[in-house]
Amino acid sequence: MQTPIVLLKEGTDMSQGTPQLVSNINACQAVVDAVRTTLGPRGMDKLIVNGGKATISNDGATIMKLLDIVHPAARTLVDIARSQDAEVGDGTTSVVLLAGEFLKQVKPFVEEGVHPRIIIKAVRKALQLCVDKINELAVKIEKSNEVEHRALLTKCAATAMSSKLIHQQKDFFSNMVVEAVLQLDELLPLDMIGIKKVSGGALEESLLVAGVSFKKTFSYAGFEMQPKSYKNCKIALLNIELELKAERANAEIRVDNVKEYQKIVDAEWQILYDKLAKIHASGANVVLSKLPIGDVATQYFADRDMFCAGRVADEDLRRTMKACGGAVLTTVQDLVAANLGSCEYFEERQIGGERFNLFQGCSNAKTCTLILRGGAEQFLEETERSLHDAIMIVRRTIKNDAVVAGGGAIEMELSKMLRDYSRTIAGKEQLLIGAIAKGLEVIPRQLCDNAGFDATNILNKLRQKHAQGHCWYGVDILKEHIADNFEACVWEPSVVKINALTAACEAATMILSVDETIRAPKSQEAPPQAPMGRGMGRPMM
């Protein structure tokens, strides 16, 4: 008899073959069911409690991140939701839904013994056809007419917000978001849009500052004596500590009389006063520093009608530099007019329960700040996430100037195109591409289900319209019917759809190509025994 060959460590769990693949697909279905109801304007929110912190959200990527999924195959869906969020910013729920539905539709073929490679080939073929069709259908935007271009961006932002918590105020916020993005330079850097949250007040009290704004920093005595507004002010940006430093613990100075000691103390004060005098001589009205500005310096500046703020966050200081010009200095020796920033108007203003420093009319304003008002903290956080999606969509629309109709219209058109194509080919691919065509209908179906409509009825109407050649017909949530969503201004950048389909197909093919999972057990180490002490807690003998 041959002795058995042991390759893997004892206790290793191996599962393989078709049952393993079906099990992975089922795990993905469970993830999809968790976010299914959040899609669309009538989507529900999820309340996720994590270690005492409650988050209310219907943003797919946020929910996936907070769910903390451990199943290795299902984690693929978390990754595609994150990649969609990072790349495009919107469509995170759609991408998870599509991937899950593709797997659900091909599951019967897997169970019947169709080789996964044939299925993968069909999925890739279908993806290629879909991307080509989107590029063919997408409507290019005219950038020459500024008013039309702006109106289009506003419509895209409004569509991104229609499924969020703030959909009632989407007209107000979509204009604000477009205004914010258009104030940036050509590269549209996301970190140049600051979002600050102030509890209290109504959502409509939110405001956009064309420049930089940040919360009042920690202040010392003398701060209230400083002026709180300037016109045409000069700004010194520093990375210098302007306070008397405590002696280091390991420093040692030997003196043999009081006069020597007094000289040391005077020298320390003199160094500080020299720095302050140089800052004052430079002509700066506002002094911002990343490091603390102590009470002596605060009083010194107050006496000379100067404003100062210490411990300014690095991000805010960098945005102030980009907006107002100047440079962040680590020494006062180079403090000349060329290194100072400037803005037309600076003020410290009360917004709700907080005080904010506002820099407006900046010399090279390529940055802006959204100050959000609203009720509870969770509500403000969800508003920030919603605005992030809208900002990303507007950025993408400016960079990729092509749009398609949303509301399930493009998915129905792609589904019709794949069905027609599948009838022209023979073999297993015909059935598989037909299954993927059915899978694409999950978006309009879910939009109907979430709004409480009869999905079968509305999908039948949509199929009829698309068969007649009306390619932009989608679900009309407001009238419980179907409508031409392009005319209804439900627009989305085509790059969102291309990215979502590509990521969903990639995830589906990746899960289909896994046929074995091997789990190695962690080595079971006994915890080290504490030595028996002679002090308290020694066991009775």
Side-chain angles (χ1 to χ4, degrees):
M1 277 179 66
Q2 268 188 318
T3 51
I5 300 166
V6 178
L7 274 181
L8 301 169
K9 174 158 69 176
E10 191 182 347
T12 300
D13 174 30
M14 281 177 67
S15 37
Q16 61 191 107
T18 306
Q20 174 58 35
L21 188 46
V22 172
S23 157
N24 284 348
I25 293 174
N26 291 342
C28 293
Q29 282 328 122
V31 176
V32 172
D33 290 339
V35 293
R36 188 184 287 281
T37 54
T38 66
L39 184 76
R42 297 283 185 272
M44 309 298 275
D45 293 347
K46 303 285 179 196
L47 171 60
I48 300 163
V49 183
N50 191 357
K53 186 181 185 298
T55 307
I56 300 172
S57 179
N58 74 350
D59 177 44
T62 307
I63 295 165
M64 299 293 272
K65 225 179 285 178
L66 294 171
L67 281 179
D68 201 13
I69 293 162
V70 293
H71 191 283
R75 278 200 66 81
T76 314
L77 297 185
V78 180
D79 294 340
I80 59 166
R82 282 186 175 179
S83 80
Q84 178 79 2
D85 193 40
E87 185 64 28
V88 190
D90 198 19
T92 47
T93 309
S94 306
V95 74
V96 176
L97 234 64
L98 284 167
E101 192 66 18
F102 290 157
L103 289 169
K104 182 181 172 184
Q105 294 298 335
V106 299
K107 184 175 153 190
F109 298 99
V110 173
E111 289 171 335
E112 283 166 20
V114 177
H115 197 281
R117 279 286 145 210
I118 297 170
I119 301 175
I120 289 169
K121 188 181 167 193
V123 171
R124 292 225 164 107
K125 179 71 182 165
L127 170 64
Q128 190 54 53
L129 290 166
C130 288
V131 172
D132 293 345
K133 185 72 174 173
I134 292 175
N135 288 329
E136 178 194 320
L137 285 174
V139 178
K140 286 276 180 199
I141 304 162
E142 263 308 315
K143 282 193 177 177
S144 50
N145 186 336
E146 208 169 295
V147 178
E148 273 183 28
H149 187 227
R150 192 190 176 97
L152 172 119
L153 293 175
T154 311
K155 283 164 191 165
C156 286
T159 305
M161 282 188 225
S162 61
S163 63
K164 305 294 181 193
L165 208 59
I166 53 171
H167 63 271
Q168 302 287 345
Q169 290 84 9
K170 68 180 179 187
D171 295 337
F172 171 75
F173 279 115
S174 54
N175 282 314
M176 190 186 274
V177 163
V178 172
E179 185 73 44
V181 177
L182 291 177
Q183 284 179 13
L184 304 179
D185 58 23
E186 302 80 61
L187 294 171
L188 307 176
L190 197 60
D191 59 346
M192 286 295 115
I193 299 179
I195 298 181
K196 306 290 177 190
K197 304 186 284 284
V198 183
S199 294
L203 271 174
E204 278 87 358
E205 287 174 34
S206 302
L207 64 142
L208 173 69
V209 179
V212 183
S213 173
F214 52 84
K215 218 176 274 187
K216 171 184 173 290
T217 57
F218 181 83
S219 56
Y220 286 91
F223 177 80
E224 293 305 335
M225 294 155 63
Q226 296 178 347
K228 297 295 182 282
S229 66
Y230 292 101
K231 284 187 176 168
N232 298 323
C233 81
K234 296 271 181 252
I235 305 155
L237 305 164
L238 307 173
N239 188 6
I240 306 171
E241 199 167 2
L242 294 175
E243 65 178 347
L244 292 169
K245 299 286 289 280
E247 282 75 22
R248 291 174 184 273
N250 58 357
E252 186 179 326
I253 301 172
R254 297 193 180 191
V255 289
D256 49 15
N257 61 36
V258 177
K259 283 183 183 171
E260 294 284 326
Y261 179 70
Q262 190 60 43
K263 273 186 191 171
I264 293 163
V265 174
D266 290 346
E268 199 175 10
W269 281 82
Q270 197 54 48
I271 290 167
L272 179 61
Y273 277 126
D274 285 348
K275 284 181 184 173
L276 298 176
K278 281 187 175 146
I279 294 168
H280 178 236
S282 70
N285 311 102
V286 176
V287 182
L288 303 179
S289 181
K290 199 168 153 186
L291 298 173
I293 294 179
D295 43 7
V296 176
T298 306
Q299 194 71 56
Y300 182 95
F301 289 137
D303 293 344
R304 286 156 184 76
D305 284 345
M306 291 164 70
F307 176 91
C308 70
R311 299 181 191 171
V312 178
D314 186 39
E315 176 209 356
D316 293 329
L317 199 67
R318 217 175 64 244
R319 283 182 41 242
T320 309
M321 181 181 79
K322 289 250 174 117
C324 303
V328 177
L329 302 175
T330 51
T331 170
V332 290
Q333 306 305 326
D334 292 335
L335 210 53
V336 291
N339 290 334
L340 295 178
S342 63
C343 72
E344 281 174 24
Y345 186 61
F346 163 80
E347 68 167 328
E348 185 174 291
R349 193 196 298 177
Q350 186 82 15
I351 300 176
E354 304 283 354
R355 276 158 72 176
F356 273 79
N357 299 331
L358 279 74
F359 297 85
Q360 290 167 296
C362 305
S363 50
N364 41 349
K366 298 284 191 234
T367 177
C368 56
T369 310
L370 295 161
I371 299 176
L372 303 181
R373 305 297 310 279
E377 192 184 329
Q378 286 99 332
F379 186 80
L380 275 175
E381 283 178 7
E382 179 62 5
T383 306
E384 184 183 2
R385 282 191 287 270
S386 309
L387 289 183
H388 169 264
D389 283 11
I391 288 166
M392 291 290 279
I393 283 293
V394 174
R395 285 174 73 231
R396 282 286 156 205
T397 314
I398 292 171
K399 286 183 180 179
N400 306 70
D401 52 350
V403 292
V404 292
I410 189 73
E411 283 84 6
M412 287 304 294
E413 184 60 24
L414 294 176
S415 176
K416 169 194 165 276
M417 180 270 300
L418 285 181
R419 272 205 185 89
D420 293 347
Y421 173 78
S422 71
R423 294 193 189 104
T424 64
I425 54 173
K428 294 173 188 164
E429 261 193 2
Q430 181 188 31
L431 297 169
L432 292 165
I433 287 179
I436 288 161
K438 192 177 177 196
L440 281 164
E441 290 181 354
V442 69
I443 301 290
R445 175 174 281 119
Q446 199 58 50
L447 287 173
C448 296
D449 287 347
N450 289 352
F453 303 162
D454 181 351
T456 312
N457 184 20
I458 285 180
L459 279 178
N460 283 339
K461 288 179 186 170
L462 281 177
R463 286 191 197 107
Q464 179 202 10
K465 281 287 181 192
H466 282 268
Q468 291 167 357
H470 301 286
C471 68
W472 294 132
Y473 264 77
V475 183
D476 185 343
I477 295 287
L478 302 174
K479 296 180 182 160
E480 195 173 336
H481 197 59
I482 60 173
D484 186 326
N485 278 352
F486 208 85
E487 278 183 22
C489 299
V490 181
W491 295 353
E492 293 190 75
S494 60
V495 68
V496 175
K497 292 297 172 198
I498 291 173
N499 214 69
L501 281 167
T502 310
C505 288
E506 286 300 325
T509 54
M510 193 165 131
I511 288 162
L512 287 167
S513 62
V514 173
D515 75 333
E516 182 169 7
T517 306
I518 303 167
R519 287 174 194 267
K522 282 187 179 171
S523 49
Q524 301 291 317
E525 289 177 16
Q529 291 288 317
M532 280 176 66
R534 296 189 65 81
M536 284 171 64
R538 185 179 175 192
M540 297 289 286
M541 290 306 213

